[in-house]
Amino acid sequence: DLWIPLPLSPDRRGFWAMRTIGRLAPGATLPEAQAEIEMIGSQLIEQYPEAYENSGIRFYLHPLHGDLVDNVRPAILTLLGAVALVLLIACTNAASLLLANMRSREKELAVRTALGAGRGRIIRQVMSESMILALLAGIVGIFLAAFGLETLLALQPEGLPRADNIRLDGTVLAFTLAAAFVAALAAGVIPAWRASSPEVQESLKEGRRHGGSVRGRTRSALVVAEVAFSLVLLIGAGLLIRSFVSLSSVDLGIDPAGVVTMRVPLDYERFDTPESRWDAYSQLQESVQGLPGVEATGGISLVPLGNQGMISSYSYEESLDTDWNGSAADYRFVLPGYFESMGIRLMAGRDFEARDNQQITPVAIVDVTLANEVWPDEDPIGKWLGIGLGSALEEEQPVEVVGVVEHSRIINVREVVRPQIYLPYRLGAAPNIVLTVRSESNPLAPVAAIRREAELMGTGRPIHTVSTMDSYVSAALGDTRFTLVLMGILASIALILSTVGIYSVITYLVRDRVHETGIRLALGASQREIVRMNLREGFVLALIGLPIGLFGALLLTGFLDSLLYGVGSTDPVTFAGIPLLLLAVALLASYVPARRAGRIDPLVALRDE
């Protein structure tokens, strides 16, 4: 890091792009500091009316922690909720399997009870077994997390705060042990209570086929809960998938394919005038344009989707006075050929030319958003704007509109933020332009040659921040992709667990009904009827869980609003399609044990009984 002082001049009070970082005094509160800073702002307006009067300027205080995490908070909380749902589904699944295990151990538990084991002793035994299973699962989970952490960090979106601090440490281990303990309680308490019930002792008297009705209903209730929880997760994942598809297909106003960008700084002491800097970039453009495979080249002060922006107030009154009417636009300084290199369509007028960087009369190109707002029923070509660029220009001045281009999402992929004004490079003449190069095939192919051309020119500074526009677009979609991938993984786990739960319930149901099935077959029931009867059990369990899950999804998917794009949190396609998918999976999970029931030999079933 290199820290240098920033020169600030009282004569340039129109430069409002700075953010100030302060620390509250001991005992001070944010509202108190906000009131104090507003009083200071009022004094500044009175003291410097020529700079602040009618500007509407205000100073806002915002906690730095909130500034860092506000953008990712909805996604992190959504994922936390999804993980909690998966844990609940896993616990209900484990409880269902433990109940089935208790069913096979009824005689053992009855003998223990007959030999003097009290209900508390049986509960402790079953809970200790559950604790051991949960502890082993927690250990396995830690090892899986150690391997999966690298993948998680690879998926992280740009700007994820404190990503460098994501690691397995004592806090994570303690949380894992706590989660394992809670899971053991959640998964073991129902089986432990049922294992100690008097029904277990009655099973020795009544026989196998008459016992476990309550236990069967409990297992069915747990599967219904699994289906409901899974539906909530699957609907959330479905909404994110549809949102990501919509976001990926949005018209950015640029064609990123085949474009590479790189920042080309100039030695400020050698190129100390706007004329010398313009000559250097113009010469470099000419050299790059002649390279093999290069289709177009241009340059811009700030690369689109680079999370940077410059805002200018502007006037469009005939008087071009300083009454800015509250209008503001994003502005960029560009080299000739920029729009062609980025695939931005010229809607009216002309592109910038070399003479625009040499003549005295300033010109500008605006986007269709600004043209439609300012001159909705007029031809904008030849109109004049008054722009106030603070320190970029010596003073506010009029510029003639010579072209109109389509709006491009240079700040935010999700929304049209502000109108845009493009100015010739000479009006800003910064010594660190971003070169934009469109190639026929591999966009990175000409980079080495461009570096050599820059060295031959003697720019005195190395080219840096080389990246394709596809990378910028991918990074802009990174937060949505990150949430989608993790949510999809969690939803897939939930679907698998629900499938296992339905399969296990139908399997144990088939085993409990062996005698009944044998009688039905002996009395003339067909295999198809037996299969249909058992399929109906799984279908009904899923059908009961669906409305519960739909109600839960309606309550919870509203928290996804800030993560969605082009789709509502109650999207009818998702809310109709996901339940059908879950029903199909439930039928598939029930089919294998149901078909096995249809193949039971009635003679063997009755003889075993």
Side-chain angles (χ1 to χ4, degrees):
D1 293 334
L2 175 64
W3 302 83
I4 58 175
L6 177 67
L8 295 176
S9 171
D11 299 330
R12 290 187 173 181
R13 292 188 174 273
F15 183 57
W16 302 339
M18 299 302 297
R19 286 193 177 191
T20 303
I21 299 176
R23 183 177 294 277
L24 290 178
T29 65
L30 195 65
E32 292 173 348
Q34 180 66 54
E36 186 175 350
I37 202 72
E38 287 180 358
M39 181 181 65
I40 294 173
S42 300
Q43 293 173 351
L44 285 174
I45 294 174
E46 294 177 2
Q47 189 174 356
Y48 304 100
E50 70 282 357
Y52 298 120
E53 197 171 23
N54 299 322
S55 66
I57 190 170
R58 278 195 65 193
F59 298 100
Y60 294 93
L61 296 183
H62 190 65
L64 181 59
H65 179 267
D67 216 27
L68 293 174
V69 304
D70 280 352
N71 290 335
V72 299
R73 187 191 303 275
I76 297 299
L77 292 179
T78 298
L79 291 172
L80 181 62
V83 169
L85 279 177
V86 170
L87 185 59
L88 279 174
I89 294 169
C91 289
T92 55
N93 197 296
S96 178
L97 294 175
L98 287 172
L99 273 174
N101 183 49
M102 293 302 106
R103 181 72 176 88
S104 64
R105 296 174 58 187
E106 280 185 346
K107 291 186 177 181
E108 172 202 337
L109 296 173
V111 170
R112 288 178 179 271
T113 303
L115 293 176
R119 192 166 192 179
R121 176 68 181 85
I122 298 296
I123 290 176
R124 287 195 299 273
Q125 177 187 343
V126 176
M127 286 301 300
S128 63
E129 294 172 359
S130 178
M131 287 288 183
I132 292 173
L133 289 175
L135 182 60
L136 291 175
I139 293 173
V140 173
I142 290 173
F143 281 104
L144 290 176
F147 287 105
L149 184 59
E150 186 174 344
T151 303
L152 176 66
L153 293 177
L155 289 173
Q156 65 167 326
E158 287 190 11
L160 183 66
R162 304 186 67 183
D164 293 339
N165 294 334
I166 299 177
R167 60 183 181 273
L168 295 179
D169 54 15
T171 303
V172 175
L173 295 177
F175 176 81
T176 304
L177 291 176
F181 179 77
V182 172
L185 290 177
V189 64
I190 295 177
W193 184 260
R194 295 303 311 159
S196 64
S197 67
E199 184 186 346
V200 174
Q201 302 176 42
E202 295 297 321
S203 65
L204 290 176
K205 306 174 185 179
E206 297 180 2
R208 179 182 176 87
R209 70 179 182 276
H210 301 294
S213 60
V214 176
R215 194 171 284 111
R217 289 195 296 271
T218 304
R219 286 205 302 270
S220 298
L222 290 172
V223 171
V224 168
E226 280 189 73
V227 171
F229 292 146
S230 300
L231 185 60
V232 174
L233 267 180
L234 288 169
I235 287 178
L239 290 173
L240 287 174
I241 290 172
R242 284 179 55 79
S243 177
F244 187 76
V245 171
S246 298
L247 198 58
S248 300
S249 59
V250 71
D251 183 10
L252 298 175
I254 61 176
D255 180 12
V259 179
V260 66
T261 67
M262 63 200 77
R263 187 161 291 279
V264 183
L266 299 176
D267 185 339
Y268 196 84
E269 293 185 357
R270 178 179 177 185
F271 302 91
D272 56 351
T273 63
E275 292 80 9
S276 63
R277 292 194 283 274
W278 156 246
D279 290 339
Y281 284 127
S282 178
Q283 179 185 340
L284 181 60
Q285 267 193 282
E286 184 177 349
S287 301
V288 173
Q289 188 65 52
L291 294 176
V294 172
E295 292 182 339
T297 179
I300 189 168
S301 53
L302 294 176
V303 66
L305 303 179
N307 295 320
Q308 293 177 303
M310 296 186 294
I311 302 175
S312 165
S313 55
Y314 68 91
S315 169
Y316 49 89
E317 301 294 335
E318 291 184 2
S319 61
L320 294 179
D321 56 22
T322 56
D323 181 11
W324 303 114
N325 301 309
S327 302
D330 281 294
Y331 70 93
R332 300 285 190 276
F333 300 100
V334 300
L335 295 173
Y338 167 74
F339 301 113
E340 181 184 0
S341 67
M342 293 297 291
I344 301 175
R345 289 177 296 175
L346 185 67
M347 312 298 288
R350 65 172 177 85
D351 196 352
F352 288 126
E353 300 173 355
R355 58 189 172 96
D356 295 323
N357 288 278
Q358 299 164 352
Q359 63 186 20
I360 298 176
T361 303
V363 296
I365 293 176
V366 300
D367 72 341
V368 291
T369 303
L370 188 145
N372 291 335
E373 287 184 2
V374 178
W375 305 288
D377 300 316
E378 302 178 60
D379 182 5
I381 305 303
K383 300 290 186 179
W384 290 80
L385 287 175
I387 53 176
L389 302 179
S391 62
L393 296 176
E394 292 183 0
E395 59 183 9
E396 290 77 19
Q397 62 177 287
V399 294
E400 181 184 3
V401 176
V402 297
V404 178
V405 295
E406 67 177 323
H407 179 87
S408 56
R409 304 200 176 188
I410 54 178
I411 299 292
N412 193 329
V413 174
R414 289 178 171 265
E415 58 185 342
V416 176
V417 181
R418 282 179 292 272
Q420 295 157 12
I421 300 174
Y422 297 93
L423 301 167
Y425 168 75
R426 271 284 303 277
L427 290 183
N432 56 353
I433 206 76
V434 175
L435 202 65
T436 57
V437 181
R438 177 175 293 277
S439 301
E440 296 175 354
S441 54
N442 180 12
L444 294 175
V447 172
I450 295 173
R451 291 185 188 275
R452 288 195 298 269
E453 293 294 337
E455 290 175 1
L456 291 174
M457 282 178 46
T459 58
R461 296 287 186 273
I463 290 176
H464 61 88
T465 320
V466 178
S467 181
T468 64
M469 276 309 303
D470 282 329
S471 299
Y472 281 107
V473 174
S474 178
L477 299 174
D479 55 346
T480 303
R481 186 189 306 108
F482 176 73
T483 308
L484 171 62
V485 170
L486 294 185
M487 191 79 164
I489 293 173
L490 295 171
S492 300
I493 294 173
L495 185 61
I496 292 171
L497 290 174
S498 295
T499 304
V500 171
I502 295 173
Y503 173 85
S504 63
V505 165
I506 302 303
T507 297
Y508 284 105
L509 187 64
V510 167
R511 291 181 182 177
D512 283 346
R513 284 179 171 177
V514 169
H515 181 72
E516 175 190 342
T517 302
I519 293 176
R520 288 177 180 271
L521 290 171
L523 293 176
S526 66
Q527 290 186 352
R528 181 175 298 179
E529 290 173 336
I530 298 299
V531 171
R532 190 183 302 119
M533 178 184 69
N534 287 282
L535 274 177
R536 192 185 305 118
E537 295 286 346
F539 183 79
V540 168
L541 290 178
L543 206 59
I544 295 173
L546 290 184
I548 301 174
L550 286 172
F551 180 73
L554 286 171
L555 290 178
L556 297 177
T557 51
F559 294 103
L560 293 176
D561 275 335
S562 61
L563 302 176
L564 301 179
Y565 178 86
V567 60
S569 58
T570 57
D571 176 52
V573 175
T574 305
F575 272 77
I578 297 299
L580 293 177
L581 170 65
L582 202 52
L583 279 178
V585 171
L587 287 174
L588 183 63
S590 305
Y591 178 73
V592 175
R595 187 176 181 183
R596 190 180 301 128
R599 294 177 177 177
I600 291 176
D601 187 340
L603 295 178
V604 175
L606 295 174
R607 184 172 64 246
D608 287 346
E609 181 62 24

